[in-house]
Every structure is written in C-alpha cells, then in structure tokens.
Short mmCIF file of all heavy atoms in Angstrom, two decimals:
data_model
loop_
_atom_site.label_atom_id
_atom_site.label_comp_id
_atom_site.label_asym_id
_atom_site.label_seq_id
_atom_site.Cartn_x
_atom_site.Cartn_y
_atom_site.Cartn_z
N MET X 12 106.20 80.91 106.74
CA MET X 12 105.56 82.17 106.99
C MET X 12 106.33 82.94 108.05
O MET X 12 106.63 82.37 109.11
CB MET X 12 104.17 81.83 107.51
CG MET X 12 103.34 83.07 107.94
SD MET X 12 101.77 82.81 108.64
CE MET X 12 100.81 82.13 107.26
N SER X 13 106.60 84.21 107.82
CA SER X 13 107.33 84.96 108.76
C SER X 13 106.40 85.48 109.88
O SER X 13 105.14 85.49 109.74
CB SER X 13 108.02 86.12 108.12
OG SER X 13 107.02 87.05 107.71
N ASP X 14 106.97 86.02 111.00
CA ASP X 14 106.17 86.50 112.02
C ASP X 14 105.42 87.84 111.67
O ASP X 14 104.29 88.00 112.09
CB ASP X 14 107.11 86.93 113.19
CG ASP X 14 107.66 85.67 113.99
OD1 ASP X 14 106.94 84.64 113.84
OD2 ASP X 14 108.71 85.85 114.61
N ALA X 15 106.00 88.57 110.69
CA ALA X 15 105.34 89.80 110.30
C ALA X 15 104.03 89.39 109.58
O ALA X 15 102.96 90.06 109.74
CB ALA X 15 106.27 90.63 109.36
N ASN X 16 104.03 88.42 108.73
CA ASN X 16 102.87 88.00 107.98
C ASN X 16 101.83 87.49 108.94
O ASN X 16 100.66 87.78 108.78
CB ASN X 16 103.25 86.99 106.93
CG ASN X 16 103.95 87.58 105.73
OD1 ASN X 16 103.92 88.72 105.51
ND2 ASN X 16 104.75 86.75 105.06
N GLY X 17 102.20 86.68 109.85
CA GLY X 17 101.33 86.18 110.83
C GLY X 17 100.62 87.21 111.67
O GLY X 17 99.37 87.15 111.92
N PHE X 18 101.41 88.26 112.11
CA PHE X 18 100.83 89.38 112.85
C PHE X 18 99.84 90.12 112.00
O PHE X 18 98.77 90.50 112.47
CB PHE X 18 101.91 90.27 113.47
CG PHE X 18 101.38 91.44 114.14
CD1 PHE X 18 100.89 91.30 115.45
CD2 PHE X 18 101.37 92.68 113.49
CE1 PHE X 18 100.40 92.38 116.16
CE2 PHE X 18 100.76 93.78 114.27
CZ PHE X 18 100.32 93.61 115.51
N GLU X 19 100.19 90.30 110.70
CA GLU X 19 99.33 91.14 109.86
C GLU X 19 98.01 90.39 109.69
O GLU X 19 96.95 91.07 109.70
CB GLU X 19 100.09 91.20 108.49
CG GLU X 19 99.87 92.63 107.91
CD GLU X 19 100.79 92.83 106.68
OE1 GLU X 19 101.99 93.13 106.85
OE2 GLU X 19 100.27 92.59 105.61
N GLU X 20 98.02 89.14 109.43
CA GLU X 20 96.83 88.38 109.23
C GLU X 20 95.91 88.35 110.58
O GLU X 20 94.78 88.52 110.40
CB GLU X 20 97.17 86.86 108.88
CG GLU X 20 97.75 86.83 107.51
CD GLU X 20 98.12 85.28 107.17
OE1 GLU X 20 97.68 84.39 107.91
OE2 GLU X 20 98.76 85.12 106.14
N GLY X 21 96.57 88.25 111.70
CA GLY X 21 95.83 88.23 112.95
C GLY X 21 95.26 89.61 113.28
O GLY X 21 94.13 89.75 113.71
N ALA X 22 96.02 90.65 113.00
CA ALA X 22 95.48 91.98 113.29
C ALA X 22 94.47 92.38 112.33
O ALA X 22 93.43 93.03 112.71
CB ALA X 22 96.62 93.05 113.25
N SER X 23 94.48 92.00 111.16
CA SER X 23 93.45 92.40 110.20
C SER X 23 92.18 91.62 110.35
O SER X 23 91.04 92.12 110.01
CB SER X 23 93.90 92.13 108.72
OG SER X 23 94.11 90.76 108.42
N GLY X 24 92.16 90.45 111.11
CA GLY X 24 91.05 89.70 111.26
C GLY X 24 90.32 90.06 112.57
O GLY X 24 89.28 89.65 112.80
N SER X 25 91.05 90.91 113.41
CA SER X 25 90.44 91.19 114.68
C SER X 25 89.79 92.58 114.63
O SER X 25 90.37 93.61 114.17
CB SER X 25 91.58 91.29 115.81
OG SER X 25 91.12 91.70 116.93
N GLN X 26 88.55 92.69 115.20
CA GLN X 26 87.82 93.94 115.24
C GLN X 26 88.11 94.71 116.52
O GLN X 26 87.97 95.82 116.56
CB GLN X 26 86.41 93.69 115.13
CG GLN X 26 85.98 93.19 113.75
CD GLN X 26 86.25 94.24 112.60
OE1 GLN X 26 86.04 95.37 112.80
NE2 GLN X 26 86.70 93.61 111.49
N GLY X 27 88.56 93.91 117.55
CA GLY X 27 88.89 94.64 118.73
C GLY X 27 87.57 94.87 119.58
O GLY X 27 86.50 94.64 119.11
N ASP X 28 87.78 95.31 120.83
CA ASP X 28 86.64 95.52 121.81
C ASP X 28 86.20 97.03 121.55
O ASP X 28 87.01 97.87 121.78
CB ASP X 28 87.03 95.21 123.11
CG ASP X 28 85.83 95.42 124.09
OD1 ASP X 28 84.79 95.60 123.68
OD2 ASP X 28 86.10 95.14 125.30
N PRO X 29 84.98 97.36 121.07
CA PRO X 29 84.57 98.73 120.93
C PRO X 29 84.64 99.61 122.18
O PRO X 29 84.76 100.73 122.08
CB PRO X 29 83.15 98.58 120.35
CG PRO X 29 82.79 97.17 120.34
CD PRO X 29 84.03 96.40 120.72
N ARG X 30 84.51 98.92 123.35
CA ARG X 30 84.67 99.72 124.62
C ARG X 30 85.98 100.29 124.86
O ARG X 30 86.07 101.42 125.34
CB ARG X 30 84.17 98.79 125.78
CG ARG X 30 82.74 98.36 125.69
CD ARG X 30 82.43 97.42 126.79
NE ARG X 30 83.22 96.08 126.57
CZ ARG X 30 83.13 95.11 127.21
NH1 ARG X 30 82.35 95.01 128.31
NH2 ARG X 30 83.85 94.04 126.94
N VAL X 31 86.95 99.47 124.37
CA VAL X 31 88.30 100.12 124.45
C VAL X 31 88.55 101.27 123.59
O VAL X 31 89.15 102.26 123.98
CB VAL X 31 89.35 98.97 124.18
CG1 VAL X 31 90.83 99.51 124.23
CG2 VAL X 31 89.19 97.80 125.25
N LEU X 32 88.01 101.14 122.36
CA LEU X 32 88.14 102.30 121.45
C LEU X 32 87.38 103.48 121.90
O LEU X 32 87.87 104.67 121.80
CB LEU X 32 87.67 101.87 120.01
CG LEU X 32 88.42 100.74 119.42
CD1 LEU X 32 87.69 100.37 118.08
CD2 LEU X 32 89.82 101.14 119.11
N ILE X 33 86.19 103.31 122.42
CA ILE X 33 85.50 104.50 123.01
C ILE X 33 86.13 105.07 124.21
O ILE X 33 86.19 106.32 124.35
CB ILE X 33 83.99 104.00 123.34
CG1 ILE X 33 83.18 103.63 122.09
CG2 ILE X 33 83.29 105.03 124.25
CD1 ILE X 33 81.86 103.00 122.29
N ALA X 34 86.68 104.23 125.11
CA ALA X 34 87.42 104.74 126.27
C ALA X 34 88.69 105.54 125.83
O ALA X 34 88.90 106.66 126.33
CB ALA X 34 87.85 103.58 127.20
N MET X 35 89.33 105.01 124.87
CA MET X 35 90.49 105.76 124.29
C MET X 35 90.21 107.07 123.71
O MET X 35 90.74 108.12 123.81
CB MET X 35 91.27 104.94 123.27
CG MET X 35 92.07 103.80 123.85
SD MET X 35 92.86 102.76 122.62
CE MET X 35 93.71 103.92 121.59
N ASN X 36 88.97 107.05 122.98
CA ASN X 36 88.49 108.31 122.37
C ASN X 36 88.13 109.31 123.42
O ASN X 36 88.41 110.43 123.31
CB ASN X 36 87.22 107.91 121.47
CG ASN X 36 86.91 109.10 120.60
OD1 ASN X 36 87.40 110.19 120.56
ND2 ASN X 36 85.79 108.93 119.79
N VAL X 37 87.49 108.91 124.46
CA VAL X 37 87.09 109.81 125.64
C VAL X 37 88.41 110.41 126.18
O VAL X 37 88.44 111.59 126.46
CB VAL X 37 86.34 109.12 126.71
CG1 VAL X 37 86.14 109.93 127.94
CG2 VAL X 37 84.96 108.66 126.15
N VAL X 38 89.35 109.63 126.54
CA VAL X 38 90.57 110.12 127.19
C VAL X 38 91.31 111.06 126.24
O VAL X 38 91.70 112.19 126.66
CB VAL X 38 91.51 108.93 127.64
CG1 VAL X 38 92.83 109.45 128.06
CG2 VAL X 38 90.75 108.17 128.75
N LEU X 39 91.50 110.62 125.02
CA LEU X 39 92.32 111.43 124.07
C LEU X 39 91.58 112.75 123.75
O LEU X 39 92.25 113.79 123.56
CB LEU X 39 92.66 110.66 122.87
CG LEU X 39 93.64 109.47 123.09
CD1 LEU X 39 93.84 108.69 121.88
CD2 LEU X 39 95.02 109.95 123.60
N SER X 40 90.29 112.68 123.64
CA SER X 40 89.55 113.85 123.25
C SER X 40 89.58 114.88 124.44
O SER X 40 89.72 116.08 124.16
CB SER X 40 88.04 113.55 123.01
OG SER X 40 87.94 112.80 121.86
N THR X 41 89.55 114.40 125.69
CA THR X 41 89.63 115.24 126.86
C THR X 41 90.98 115.90 126.98
O THR X 41 91.08 117.14 127.23
CB THR X 41 89.30 114.43 128.07
OG1 THR X 41 88.05 113.82 127.94
CG2 THR X 41 89.35 115.41 129.31
N VAL X 42 92.03 115.12 126.73
CA VAL X 42 93.36 115.65 126.78
C VAL X 42 93.62 116.68 125.65
O VAL X 42 94.17 117.81 126.00
CB VAL X 42 94.46 114.50 126.74
CG1 VAL X 42 95.88 115.17 126.55
CG2 VAL X 42 94.37 113.71 127.91
N PHE X 43 93.15 116.38 124.56
CA PHE X 43 93.34 117.26 123.39
C PHE X 43 92.50 118.57 123.63
O PHE X 43 92.96 119.67 123.37
CB PHE X 43 92.92 116.62 122.12
CG PHE X 43 93.33 117.35 120.83
CD1 PHE X 43 94.65 117.78 120.66
CD2 PHE X 43 92.41 117.75 119.98
CE1 PHE X 43 95.13 118.45 119.60
CE2 PHE X 43 92.85 118.39 118.78
CZ PHE X 43 94.11 118.78 118.54
N ALA X 44 91.31 118.43 124.13
CA ALA X 44 90.42 119.58 124.41
C ALA X 44 91.06 120.39 125.41
O ALA X 44 91.06 121.69 125.36
CB ALA X 44 89.09 119.17 124.80
N ALA X 45 91.60 119.81 126.50
CA ALA X 45 92.20 120.56 127.54
C ALA X 45 93.45 121.41 127.07
O ALA X 45 93.74 122.47 127.37
CB ALA X 45 92.63 119.66 128.68
N THR X 46 94.22 120.74 126.19
CA THR X 46 95.36 121.44 125.55
C THR X 46 94.92 122.56 124.63
O THR X 46 95.41 123.69 124.74
CB THR X 46 96.19 120.41 124.69
OG1 THR X 46 96.48 119.30 125.59
CG2 THR X 46 97.34 121.12 124.13
N ILE X 47 93.86 122.41 123.92
CA ILE X 47 93.38 123.50 123.05
C ILE X 47 92.86 124.64 123.91
O ILE X 47 93.22 125.82 123.64
CB ILE X 47 92.28 122.95 122.08
CG1 ILE X 47 92.87 122.08 121.04
CG2 ILE X 47 91.56 124.12 121.43
CD1 ILE X 47 91.81 121.31 120.26
N ILE X 48 92.04 124.28 124.92
CA ILE X 48 91.46 125.41 125.73
C ILE X 48 92.55 126.11 126.57
O ILE X 48 92.53 127.32 126.66
CB ILE X 48 90.42 124.87 126.72
CG1 ILE X 48 89.21 124.21 125.99
CG2 ILE X 48 89.87 125.91 127.69
CD1 ILE X 48 88.51 125.16 125.07
N TRP X 49 93.65 125.35 126.97
CA TRP X 49 94.74 126.04 127.69
C TRP X 49 95.42 126.97 126.75
O TRP X 49 95.77 128.09 127.09
CB TRP X 49 95.67 124.93 128.16
CG TRP X 49 96.96 125.52 128.75
CD1 TRP X 49 97.16 126.09 129.97
CD2 TRP X 49 98.20 125.69 127.97
NE1 TRP X 49 98.43 126.58 130.06
CE2 TRP X 49 99.07 126.30 128.93
CE3 TRP X 49 98.72 125.39 126.69
CZ2 TRP X 49 100.41 126.67 128.44
CZ3 TRP X 49 99.96 125.71 126.36
CH2 TRP X 49 100.75 126.28 127.22
N GLY X 50 95.62 126.61 125.45
CA GLY X 50 96.28 127.41 124.53
C GLY X 50 95.53 128.66 124.20
O GLY X 50 96.02 129.81 124.11
N LEU X 51 94.19 128.50 124.16
CA LEU X 51 93.24 129.65 123.85
C LEU X 51 93.27 130.66 125.17
O LEU X 51 93.11 131.75 124.99
CB LEU X 51 91.92 129.18 123.51
CG LEU X 51 91.65 128.52 122.20
CD1 LEU X 51 90.25 127.93 122.16
CD2 LEU X 51 92.01 129.54 121.21
N SER X 52 93.45 130.02 126.30
CA SER X 52 93.49 130.91 127.51
C SER X 52 94.75 131.65 127.55
O SER X 52 94.80 132.77 128.14
CB SER X 52 93.30 130.06 128.77
OG SER X 52 94.47 129.19 129.02
N VAL X 53 95.87 131.00 127.02
CA VAL X 53 97.09 131.76 127.02
C VAL X 53 97.05 132.96 126.18
O VAL X 53 97.64 134.02 126.54
CB VAL X 53 98.32 130.86 126.57
CG1 VAL X 53 99.60 131.56 126.24
CG2 VAL X 53 98.64 129.75 127.59
N ILE X 54 96.41 132.83 125.00
CA ILE X 54 96.37 134.03 124.19
C ILE X 54 95.11 134.97 124.55
O ILE X 54 94.87 135.93 123.77
CB ILE X 54 96.23 133.62 122.65
CG1 ILE X 54 95.04 132.82 122.29
CG2 ILE X 54 97.59 132.91 122.30
CD1 ILE X 54 94.85 132.54 120.89
N GLY X 55 94.35 134.54 125.45
CA GLY X 55 93.15 135.34 125.95
C GLY X 55 91.91 135.19 125.08
O GLY X 55 91.01 135.96 125.23
N ALA X 56 91.83 134.12 124.40
CA ALA X 56 90.63 133.97 123.51
C ALA X 56 89.54 133.17 124.30
O ALA X 56 88.39 133.17 123.87
CB ALA X 56 90.97 133.23 122.27
N ALA X 57 89.90 132.38 125.34
CA ALA X 57 88.86 131.55 126.06
C ALA X 57 89.45 131.44 127.48
O ALA X 57 90.62 131.62 127.76
CB ALA X 57 88.65 130.25 125.46
N GLU X 58 88.53 131.14 128.46
CA GLU X 58 88.90 130.91 129.83
C GLU X 58 89.11 129.42 130.07
O GLU X 58 88.30 128.64 129.59
CB GLU X 58 87.84 131.52 130.70
CG GLU X 58 88.22 131.48 132.20
CD GLU X 58 87.15 132.19 133.04
OE1 GLU X 58 86.37 132.87 132.44
OE2 GLU X 58 87.11 131.95 134.22
N LEU X 59 90.08 129.00 130.79
CA LEU X 59 90.31 127.56 131.14
C LEU X 59 89.41 127.13 132.30
O LEU X 59 89.78 127.45 133.44
CB LEU X 59 91.88 127.40 131.44
CG LEU X 59 92.14 125.96 131.77
CD1 LEU X 59 91.96 125.05 130.63
CD2 LEU X 59 93.60 125.94 132.16
N THR X 60 88.34 126.62 131.97
CA THR X 60 87.30 126.11 132.91
C THR X 60 86.97 124.65 132.61
O THR X 60 87.15 124.26 131.47
CB THR X 60 86.05 126.96 132.94
OG1 THR X 60 85.36 126.84 131.72
CG2 THR X 60 86.33 128.45 133.25
N ALA X 61 86.45 123.98 133.60
CA ALA X 61 86.03 122.61 133.37
C ALA X 61 84.86 122.54 132.38
O ALA X 61 84.81 121.51 131.54
CB ALA X 61 85.52 121.95 134.63
N ILE X 62 84.02 123.48 132.30
CA ILE X 62 82.90 123.54 131.38
C ILE X 62 83.42 123.67 129.96
O ILE X 62 82.97 122.89 129.00
CB ILE X 62 81.87 124.72 131.65
CG1 ILE X 62 81.32 124.48 133.04
CG2 ILE X 62 80.86 124.76 130.61
CD1 ILE X 62 80.32 123.38 133.19
N ASN X 63 84.33 124.52 129.71
CA ASN X 63 84.93 124.79 128.38
C ASN X 63 85.68 123.47 127.92
O ASN X 63 85.58 123.15 126.75
CB ASN X 63 85.86 125.90 128.34
CG ASN X 63 85.13 127.17 128.39
OD1 ASN X 63 83.93 127.26 128.17
ND2 ASN X 63 85.83 128.23 128.70
N VAL X 64 86.42 122.83 128.81
CA VAL X 64 87.12 121.57 128.54
C VAL X 64 86.12 120.41 128.15
O VAL X 64 86.32 119.73 127.21
CB VAL X 64 88.13 121.16 129.62
CG1 VAL X 64 88.68 119.77 129.36
CG2 VAL X 64 89.23 122.27 129.77
N ALA X 65 85.12 120.27 128.96
CA ALA X 65 84.07 119.31 128.81
C ALA X 65 83.37 119.56 127.47
O ALA X 65 83.14 118.57 126.66
CB ALA X 65 83.13 119.26 129.94
N THR X 66 83.09 120.79 127.13
CA THR X 66 82.37 120.98 125.86
C THR X 66 83.27 120.75 124.68
O THR X 66 82.84 120.00 123.72
CB THR X 66 81.98 122.56 125.85
OG1 THR X 66 81.15 122.83 126.97
CG2 THR X 66 81.26 122.85 124.53
N GLY X 67 84.58 121.09 124.82
CA GLY X 67 85.49 120.75 123.76
C GLY X 67 85.73 119.24 123.59
O GLY X 67 85.76 118.74 122.42
N ALA X 68 85.75 118.56 124.70
CA ALA X 68 85.95 117.06 124.70
C ALA X 68 84.67 116.42 124.01
O ALA X 68 84.84 115.46 123.22
CB ALA X 68 86.10 116.55 126.07
N ILE X 69 83.45 116.92 124.35
CA ILE X 69 82.33 116.28 123.78
C ILE X 69 82.26 116.61 122.30
O ILE X 69 81.90 115.64 121.51
CB ILE X 69 81.07 116.89 124.45
CG1 ILE X 69 81.00 116.35 125.90
CG2 ILE X 69 79.80 116.59 123.69
CD1 ILE X 69 79.93 116.98 126.73
N LEU X 70 82.58 117.67 121.93
CA LEU X 70 82.61 117.95 120.46
C LEU X 70 83.71 117.21 119.69
O LEU X 70 83.41 116.63 118.59
CB LEU X 70 82.89 119.50 120.22
CG LEU X 70 81.74 120.43 120.62
CD1 LEU X 70 82.20 121.95 120.54
CD2 LEU X 70 80.56 120.22 119.77
N LEU X 71 84.87 117.05 120.32
CA LEU X 71 85.86 116.26 119.59
C LEU X 71 85.55 114.80 119.60
O LEU X 71 85.70 114.12 118.67
CB LEU X 71 87.23 116.42 120.34
CG LEU X 71 87.96 117.76 120.06
CD1 LEU X 71 89.16 117.80 121.05
CD2 LEU X 71 88.46 117.75 118.60
N PHE X 72 84.91 114.34 120.69
CA PHE X 72 84.50 112.95 120.78
C PHE X 72 83.45 112.66 119.66
O PHE X 72 83.60 111.63 119.02
CB PHE X 72 83.90 112.57 122.15
CG PHE X 72 83.41 111.24 122.31
CD1 PHE X 72 84.22 110.15 122.53
CD2 PHE X 72 82.14 110.90 121.95
CE1 PHE X 72 83.68 108.81 122.61
CE2 PHE X 72 81.54 109.65 122.07
CZ PHE X 72 82.40 108.55 122.42
N ALA X 73 82.46 113.52 119.70
CA ALA X 73 81.44 113.31 118.62
C ALA X 73 81.98 113.31 117.17
O ALA X 73 81.60 112.54 116.33
CB ALA X 73 80.32 114.31 118.76
N LEU X 74 82.91 114.24 116.96
CA LEU X 74 83.46 114.43 115.60
C LEU X 74 84.26 113.11 115.27
O LEU X 74 84.06 112.53 114.18
CB LEU X 74 84.37 115.60 115.54
CG LEU X 74 85.05 115.91 114.24
CD1 LEU X 74 83.95 116.18 113.09
CD2 LEU X 74 86.03 117.00 114.37
N THR X 75 85.16 112.67 116.18
CA THR X 75 85.92 111.52 115.81
C THR X 75 85.14 110.31 115.77
O THR X 75 85.31 109.37 114.95
CB THR X 75 87.07 111.30 116.81
OG1 THR X 75 86.49 111.24 118.09
CG2 THR X 75 88.02 112.42 116.78
N TYR X 76 84.03 110.09 116.56
CA TYR X 76 83.22 109.00 116.48
C TYR X 76 82.40 108.94 115.25
O TYR X 76 82.36 107.89 114.59
CB TYR X 76 82.23 109.08 117.72
CG TYR X 76 81.34 107.79 117.87
CD1 TYR X 76 81.96 106.58 118.32
CD2 TYR X 76 80.03 107.78 117.44
CE1 TYR X 76 81.21 105.49 118.47
CE2 TYR X 76 79.32 106.64 117.60
CZ TYR X 76 79.84 105.47 118.14
OH TYR X 76 79.09 104.38 118.28
N ALA X 77 81.95 110.08 114.72
CA ALA X 77 81.22 110.11 113.53
C ALA X 77 82.14 109.86 112.24
O ALA X 77 81.69 109.12 111.37
CB ALA X 77 80.60 111.51 113.31
N ILE X 78 83.34 110.30 112.34
CA ILE X 78 84.27 110.06 111.22
C ILE X 78 84.63 108.56 111.15
O ILE X 78 84.74 107.97 110.15
CB ILE X 78 85.55 110.93 111.39
CG1 ILE X 78 85.20 112.46 111.15
CG2 ILE X 78 86.64 110.47 110.46
CD1 ILE X 78 86.24 113.40 111.42
N THR X 79 84.89 107.91 112.42
CA THR X 79 85.31 106.60 112.30
C THR X 79 84.17 105.64 112.01
O THR X 79 84.40 104.38 111.65
CB THR X 79 85.91 106.15 113.64
OG1 THR X 79 84.98 106.40 114.71
CG2 THR X 79 87.22 106.94 113.89
N LEU X 80 82.88 106.03 112.06
CA LEU X 80 81.81 105.16 111.73
C LEU X 80 81.69 104.91 110.23
O LEU X 80 81.04 103.98 109.76
CB LEU X 80 80.52 105.69 112.28
CG LEU X 80 80.25 105.46 113.68
CD1 LEU X 80 78.93 106.05 114.13
CD2 LEU X 80 80.38 104.09 114.16
N GLN X 81 82.23 105.94 109.42
CA GLN X 81 82.07 105.78 108.00
C GLN X 81 83.02 104.70 107.43
O GLN X 81 84.05 104.39 107.78
CB GLN X 81 82.38 107.14 107.38
CG GLN X 81 81.28 108.05 107.81
CD GLN X 81 81.51 109.48 107.15
OE1 GLN X 81 82.46 109.59 106.26
NE2 GLN X 81 80.75 110.40 107.42
#
C-alpha cells in the first residue's frame, strides 16, 4: 500500500471537528465580506463600516453553512 492510498483512506474516514470548520467559516466569511465591502466603497456603492462588514459576514456565513449542510 502506498502512502497516497493510506492518506486517502484516513482522510475519507475522518469527519473532523465541526468547531474548526465553523471557526474557519467565520474567519473566511469575515475576510471575504470585508473585501467585498471595501471594493464597493471604492466604487462608491457602499460605505466601509463595521456594521456593513458584519452584516456581509453573517450573510456569507449563513449561506455557506446552509450549502454545506446538504
């Protein structure tokens, strides 16, 4: 058995810790929302505020969480 096959079997059998996935989703959603809001502020479509970033992050988090549950 090669190392690649052993890793594949181990990775496919592991579900991982859901808290890590949720934490990664929170961080990545926040960074992506900040980037989107910053881009919108550059073109004058939205103002770069903590409220706008938080709202975008919550929406992105909820969307990705709902998609991954299926």
Side-chain angles (χ1 to χ4, degrees):
M12 178 186 291
S13 72
D14 286 339
N16 290 337
F18 178 77
E19 222 172 276
E20 288 176 15
S23 66
S25 173
Q26 293 296 319
D28 189 358
R30 294 174 294 185
V31 173
L32 297 176
I33 290 171
M35 285 176 54
N36 192 0
V37 167
V38 169
L39 293 174
S40 293
T41 303
V42 170
F43 192 55
T46 304
I47 291 171
I48 299 298
W49 173 80
L51 289 173
S52 73
V53 167
I54 63 171
E58 189 176 341
L59 181 61
T60 63
I62 299 290
N63 287 344
V64 172
T66 303
I69 290 168
L70 291 173
L71 283 171
F72 176 86
L74 179 67
T75 56
Y76 187 75
I78 289 172
T79 57
L80 284 180
Q81 294 181 7

